[in-house]
Each structure stands twice: as C-alpha cells, then as structure tokens.
Amino acid sequence: MTPTAPDTARGAGVPGTRRRSPDPVAPRTYRPGPAYAAPALLAYLAVRLTGLLFLTVWAHRRHHGVWPVLATHWDADWYLGIADHGYARSLGTAFDANNLAFFPLYPVLVKAVAAVTPGSRATTGLCLAVAASFAAAWGIFAVGDRLHGRRTGVLLTVLWAALPVGLVQWMGYTESLFTACAAWALYAVLARHWITAGVLASLAGLTRPTGVAVAAAVVVAALLALRRRPVPPRAVAAVFLAPLGWCGYVGWVGLRLHRWDGYFAVQRLWHNEWDGGAETLRRFRELLGRDSTPELFLVVVTVTLLVSVVLYGLSLADRQPVALLVFTGVLLVIVLGSGGVYFPRARFLLPGFPLLLPVALHLHRASRRFRALALAAAVLAGAYCGAYMSLVWPSAP
C-alpha cells in the first residue's frame, strides 16, 4: 500500500534539514509498500548487479566459475550439509568440524523449498539468499524512511548494498535472511507491532548466533513500553517471544549433547570464546603497527571494525531509537569481544545497518554532486572488495 501522504508532507523532502526521530511507539497509518519502496529496491538491485558483473569478469579472467563461489563454498557448504544429512549427534574433539555451531532456520528452509522445487539444494539456497536480500533491503528502507524520510531510506539501502562484504548478501549464507528478520523486527518495534517484532526476533534467533542482539533490542524496547499506562499486553508478549528462537536452539543443542553448556562447548571447538576484546586488540596492533605488508582483506576487516565503532558513537549522538542502539551495541560487543577467528568479522557486522544511518543522513544533506561521487566510489569499492574477497582471499569471507 502506498503512503497516505507525500514525502514532503512527512517532513523529509527538504535537503539540509533532518527530521527528529518519531516516538518509537507512536502509531502511524503509513506502510512502506513495495511500490513506495521501489526506488530503494531498484537501487539495491543495481548495486548488487554491479558487484556481480565485476565478480563475473574477474572470475572469467582467472578461469574460475562464479556459481560455485556463490552457492557452495565455505559456510554455504556447511548449510547444504545440514540440509542433506542433519546435525551431528555428539560433540567430538575435532576443531572446526561440528555443524551444531550453525543455526537451523536457513538449512531447514533450503530443505523444505528444495523438496517442492526443481534444481539442486545449492541453487535453492542461493535463490533463498537472494530473495531474502531484497526483503532485507525493503526492511532497511522502511526503517530509514520511517525515521528520516524516503530519500534517507533509499540512501541507507544503497550504503548497505555497497558494503565491502556486500557480495555475501548474494551468497548461500545466512546474513541476508538474518538482516531481513532484524530489519523488519526493528521496524515493527518502531511501529508498535509488538507481536510481529517478537516473532521476527525469534526467527532471527534461529538464524544466527547474533540473533540475541535482535532479541535484546525488542525486549528492551518492550520493557520501556511497559512503563506506559495502560500497559500494552502485546508488549508483554514480545518480551517472552523475542528470545525464544535463540534460547530454543541453544537449549536443544544442550539436550542433544547431554550437557547444559553443549552449544558453548561446540563454539569452543570453533575457537569462539569470549575474551573481552583481547584478541581483537592484538590483531589491531599486529595489522596496523607491526605488519609492514598486511593482507588487503584483513585491512578491510580492521577498517570496518574501527569505522563501526565510530559510527556507533555518532548513532548515540544522533539519539537513535533505543531499539536500534541496543541492536547495534550488542552486535558490536559480540563481534569485538570474541576471541575467535578474525577475518569474518566484517561479515558478522553486515546486519548492523543502523550504523550507516549517520552516513545516510550526511549524504542526504550533501550536494547532489558530492552524493553522486560518494555513492559511486562506495559501489565501485564494494564491487572490487567483494570480488577480491571471493577470488583472491584464500579463506572464508
């Protein structure tokens, strides 16, 4: 359904100004229908096709196939294995070998859809990821538009599409599905649709370990809403619904392995333990101070982490709604505080799209020429980094 009033009437059509964020629990009749979101979705498609074209040309020059890179390598292979054979029944002792570390929603969807559609499960998984990326882009636009108007929503979507690891959005990974759940859960919080927010947060918790960040955002926002009188009963329901997915899977792994800390034992076998950021700081010092010829992709990861911290500070200064701040804050704490592998951490932050809001707002106020140059540079840099990550970097993105 299209909006009931034009964009300028909603206070977002005047360059150089910024509308104050609305009350996150204020009701509104506006719905971000597909026709209204079309500019953002078309822009998203254009950015991702640019990245895909860049990857295809580079892969052709290296005599490398594109489809295997997108559909079957690294984590995609683990999810396809779960769809084919299910989960392990014991903990084992081998490092980086237990598939219970991977959450179930995406492989379950792959198996279910593949059962009623032609083609391989790898093709099904890739198609699901691409479809989820458009749902994520739509949700990101909806959040940006609700807070600051249509143009900011489009800019936020383009920036998310052009991230250095944005190619992962069109790979057989869970980032797109998780971002879609997170974005629409946050939008539901802003629109005071508490049951929807709780259900989507629960689905996010079944998709990735960082689903706990979405659950925390919904729970905190719902608890704050409970201070209102009369108490909204649906907000009470959201408090209980939001963590169900994450807690349910972690509890199920514990039962399967016959130990209360089963899931965390699996994570230890993947070298993922909490160290308060000691490993992150060590890698910062090593890459920025000691290594005279650091690997390009690791530099990109390091810069992404540092910029994300700065953007979170700007988000606090902009007084973003509490749900967005809790989501990105918990996400950053998890990613920066982990003692696990370093190189995928830029990908782990891919769902943290609210961190891009300060940049989108700055571009909204900038001149048309600066905005065009900045976006073109971001798109080209993202296309190059995505192809480099897939074809040159020897490990998982």
Side-chain angles (χ1 to χ4, degrees):
M1 184 169 64
T2 55
T4 57
D7 189 54
T8 52
R10 294 172 53 238
V14 182
T17 63
R18 188 196 329 173
R19 189 182 60 181
R20 294 179 65 86
S21 298
D23 181 350
V25 295
R28 285 174 58 184
T29 58
Y30 163 72
R31 295 291 186 275
Y36 183 68
L41 297 177
L42 290 173
Y44 175 77
L45 176 63
V47 174
R48 292 293 359 120
L49 285 178
T50 301
L52 183 61
L53 177 62
F54 204 99
L55 173 67
T56 302
V57 172
W58 196 339
H60 177 73
R61 290 173 179 263
R62 294 173 63 94
H63 306 289
H64 200 296
V66 172
W67 185 86
V69 170
L70 300 179
T72 64
H73 284 183
W74 305 112
D75 284 17
D77 186 47
W78 282 99
Y79 289 116
L80 292 174
I82 294 170
D84 286 336
H85 309 295
Y87 280 106
R89 295 186 175 276
S90 61
L91 180 61
T93 57
F95 288 104
D96 305 333
N98 195 309
N99 64 7
L100 288 166
F102 297 88
F103 277 53
L105 183 59
Y106 176 70
V108 166
L109 288 176
V110 170
K111 184 174 183 178
V113 175
V116 296
T117 56
S120 66
R121 284 181 175 172
T123 300
T124 299
L126 183 57
C127 290
L128 281 173
V130 172
S133 76
F134 281 94
W138 187 2
I140 290 168
F141 165 78
V143 172
D145 172 66
R146 183 177 183 89
L147 293 176
H148 301 288
R150 193 181 193 187
R151 179 183 293 177
T152 301
V154 173
L155 291 170
L156 182 63
T157 307
V158 171
L159 289 171
W160 182 71
L163 286 172
V165 293
L167 181 66
V168 173
Q169 298 161 14
W170 280 14
M171 295 176 68
Y173 278 51
T174 57
E175 272 71 20
S176 290
L177 179 60
F178 179 76
T179 306
C181 292
W184 284 108
L186 293 173
Y187 178 83
V189 169
L190 297 175
R192 204 174 64 180
H193 299 155
W194 294 113
I195 299 298
T196 301
V199 170
L200 287 170
S202 187
L203 291 175
L206 287 170
T207 307
R208 290 195 59 78
T210 45
V212 69
V214 187
V218 173
V219 167
V220 170
L223 289 175
L224 291 175
L226 294 180
R227 299 183 303 176
R228 302 169 69 92
R229 294 293 181 270
V231 173
R234 294 183 178 224
V236 177
V239 171
F240 293 97
L241 282 173
L244 278 182
W246 190 89
C247 292
Y249 180 68
V250 170
W252 178 81
V253 173
L255 291 174
R256 191 173 184 84
L257 298 181
H258 306 290
R259 51 185 295 176
W260 70 270
D261 66 338
Y263 173 75
F264 302 101
V266 171
Q267 287 294 342
R268 285 192 291 272
L269 287 177
W270 282 87
H271 309 283
N272 288 328
E273 294 186 78
W274 175 263
D275 69 358
E279 174 65 12
T280 304
L281 292 175
R282 186 187 73 80
R283 296 305 298 265
F284 282 177
R285 289 194 298 268
E286 178 182 311
L287 289 166
L288 301 178
R290 300 172 186 170
D291 192 344
S292 59
T293 57
E295 163 62 45
L296 175 61
F297 184 66
L298 295 181
V299 173
V300 170
V301 171
T302 302
V303 171
T304 299
L305 296 179
L306 293 172
V307 170
S308 296
V309 173
V310 173
L311 290 177
Y312 187 73
L314 294 175
S315 300
L316 287 170
D318 283 348
R319 301 176 67 183
Q320 285 185 10
V322 66
L324 274 63
L325 292 174
V326 171
F327 169 59
T328 50
V330 174
L331 189 64
L332 278 171
V333 167
I334 293 172
V335 173
L336 296 175
S338 171
V341 289
Y342 184 75
F343 52 82
R345 298 194 192 193
R347 171 168 62 89
F348 294 164
L349 286 177
L350 186 64
F353 70 91
L355 294 171
L356 298 171
L357 264 174
V359 182
L361 287 168
H362 178 75
L363 291 176
H364 177 95
R365 298 191 297 267
S367 67
R368 182 176 299 178
R369 180 180 180 183
F370 177 84
R371 185 162 56 241
L373 290 174
L375 291 177
V379 171
L380 293 176
Y384 177 84
C385 288
Y388 183 95
M389 170 186 73
S390 302
L391 300 174
V392 179
W393 170 247
S395 193

